[in-house]
Amino acid sequence: MATRSSLSVDPRAETTGQRLPMGALLALATAVFITSLTETLPAGLLPAMRADLTVSESAMGQSVTVYAIGTALTAIPLTAATARWRRKPLLLTAMAGFALANTVTAVSTFYPLTMMARFVAGVAAGLAWAMLPGYARRMAPVHLQGRAIAIAMAGIPIALSLGVPAGTFLGEALSWQAAFLVMTLLTVVLLAWITATVPDHPGQRPESRTPTLRTLSVPGVAPVLLVTLIFVLAHTILYTYIATFLDRVGLGDSTGLVLLVFGVTCLLSIWIVGAHIHRRLRVLTIASALLIAVAAAVLAVRADSPALVYAAVVLWGLGWGGAPTLLQTAVGDAGGESADAAQAMLVTLWNAAMAGGAAAGGLLFNLLGPRSFPWSALVLLMPALVVVITARAHGFPTRRAAVATDRRSTPPTGNTPISTRASDR
């Protein structure tokens, strides 16, 4: 470890800065919001898009799938190819790709061109999502890195709980093209915001990088990635078909309210995780898995009670909202100098699990019906919980707080990397 890591922290932030750069972090959160909303926006606009592009609704639905495929296929190779790029120009390039892709989507009247634009948007998402958690970490002193990631990743639940309904309303009030053009406008504003407030950081030097596949051998990386795959798969099976499930249990008219409750509790979860992740990453991750498992169990056995359904959704949101921050922080800690590669692998698995969860949910619906969704999530979460509990030395270590505290007591020198890996202690 002779060179500065890609996750090194500005010495001035470590020794003198005790506050987070909120303007810059909120810019990253807006980038996450735009990328998350761009992925799911077609879900609320499918009928109008299908009619204008003269394709079936199922074919139009693949505009979400092709986005995820673009992200999953390119996150790892693009992260490796751009590892030496300075972070700010790379982020600006990725967001400019979103502006272009959403503009093409809005004006296209040709289905293959629309799908190509959606794929490009997915590629830009893979590049952005792989770098954003590490970027947020580098803006903060070590003891606030978890909180910085929580702020940056808050755009995900906001997009799910507020962005999609707002985009759907805009599409119905004006047109689906207007919804995508608004996304372009927001991205243009964001580009100016990033230029004005987000600090730049260097990329990785070649001698400090670990080959992507070799990153799996870094202690702790594989357990975190496995937990990520299972977590997202379980969540996606349930979330993708929640409207179908609620309709089957007699709450179909309350889907919007249920999703709003889920989104609000996700935001509360992000706040809790951000406040305590530095010292309690392991405990919070175990609690996250338990909360989602209990929620799935309640939905599986007592979905006939509206009060218990809402209680389960509250538990689900509390468990899920902070999960992206927990998993991205854990893989960043475990990866150390290979954190960017580890984040790219996490993004790839995340999107693969989303695609797999949607497909698995469809099979479950055809074979066993909607009531099988919470049971499936519950079964999947059990091995994830076991992995989190057993990965005590690496991945979800018990001594992360002590490591970070020790690191803060010694200000870094010009050539000393900052790492929060337990194995480096």
Side-chain angles (χ1 to χ4, degrees):
M1 294 170 55
T3 60
R4 183 175 294 274
S5 155
S6 66
L7 294 179
S8 59
V9 179
D10 187 337
R12 292 173 297 178
E14 179 70 6
T15 57
T16 64
Q18 297 301 314
R19 293 186 300 176
L20 292 172
M22 291 303 298
L25 289 174
L26 288 175
L28 298 191
T30 303
V32 173
F33 172 82
I34 290 174
T35 56
S36 299
L37 183 52
T38 296
E39 179 173 23
T40 57
L41 188 59
L45 305 172
L46 282 184
M49 294 180 70
R50 174 199 64 78
D52 284 355
L53 296 174
T54 62
V55 295
S56 67
E57 192 157 338
S58 61
M60 200 66 251
Q62 300 312 306
S63 62
V64 177
T65 305
V66 75
Y67 185 106
I69 291 174
T71 299
L73 290 181
T74 61
I76 292 176
L78 273 183
T79 298
T82 59
R84 298 180 64 181
W85 287 33
R86 297 192 67 85
R87 299 295 91 180
K88 187 170 181 176
L90 184 59
L91 179 58
L92 289 170
T93 299
M95 297 315 299
F98 271 99
L100 175 63
N102 280 325
T103 301
V104 172
T105 301
V107 302
S108 172
T109 58
F110 186 47
Y111 177 74
L113 179 60
T114 300
M115 298 298 281
M116 186 179 300
R118 294 290 297 168
F119 181 84
V120 170
V123 170
L127 184 58
W129 287 345
M131 68 176 296
L132 283 172
Y135 208 162
R137 287 166 65 98
R138 296 174 73 177
M139 293 183 190
V142 172
H143 66 294
L144 294 177
Q145 286 179 352
R147 190 173 302 175
I149 295 177
I151 293 170
M153 304 313 294
I156 294 177
I158 294 175
L160 290 175
S161 60
L162 303 177
V164 173
T168 302
F169 172 79
L170 183 62
E172 292 174 349
L174 299 176
S175 66
W176 66 267
Q177 293 92 339
F180 281 98
L181 287 176
V182 167
M183 297 301 298
T184 297
L185 179 60
L186 288 175
T187 307
V188 171
V189 173
L190 177 62
L191 288 171
W193 187 358
I194 292 171
T195 301
T197 65
V198 175
D200 192 14
H201 290 285
Q204 287 182 292
R205 297 177 181 176
E207 62 269 22
S208 70
R209 297 202 302 268
T210 302
T212 300
L213 290 180
R214 197 182 301 172
T215 303
L216 286 173
S217 65
V218 177
V221 170
V224 178
L225 293 178
L226 178 59
V227 170
T228 298
L229 179 66
I230 299 173
F231 252 52
V232 178
L233 188 62
H235 166 77
T236 303
I237 289 174
L238 193 53
Y239 186 83
T240 302
Y241 296 93
I242 188 64
T244 303
F245 176 80
L246 292 173
D247 185 62
R248 184 57 60 92
V249 300
L251 290 174
D253 294 338
S254 302
T255 299
L257 181 58
V258 169
L259 291 177
L260 180 60
V261 170
F262 177 78
V264 170
T265 51
C266 277
L267 292 176
L268 177 60
S269 174
I270 287 178
W271 180 83
I272 294 170
V273 167
H276 299 286
I277 190 172
H278 174 66
R279 296 187 178 278
R280 297 182 176 87
L281 184 146
R282 175 180 173 81
V283 171
L284 288 169
T285 308
I286 293 173
S288 175
L290 285 173
L291 285 169
I292 301 174
V294 171
V298 172
L299 291 174
V301 301
R302 291 304 307 273
D304 57 323
S305 168
L308 288 178
V309 169
Y310 278 102
V313 170
V314 168
L315 295 178
W316 182 12
L318 289 174
W320 176 254
T325 300
L326 292 167
L327 296 170
Q328 288 163 334
T329 301
V331 84
D333 285 357
E337 292 186 355
S338 303
D340 284 352
Q343 293 283 1
M345 297 177 77
L346 184 144
V347 169
T348 297
L349 285 177
W350 191 288
N351 282 274
M354 287 183 66
L363 290 175
L364 287 169
F365 176 78
N366 291 330
L367 295 175
L368 302 173
R371 287 184 177 269
S372 65
F373 299 149
W375 284 112
S376 301
L378 181 60
V379 169
L380 285 168
L381 286 166
M382 292 301 100
L385 184 59
V386 171
V387 174
V388 174
I389 292 174
T390 56
R392 301 175 61 90
H394 307 287
F396 303 96
T398 57
R399 303 181 64 184
R400 180 177 188 268
V403 173
T405 301
D406 290 347
R407 293 294 164 83
R408 288 202 309 275
S409 66
T410 305
T413 60
N415 293 317
T416 304
I418 300 297
S419 171
T420 57
R421 286 176 58 192
S423 58
D424 288 347
R425 190 169 182 234

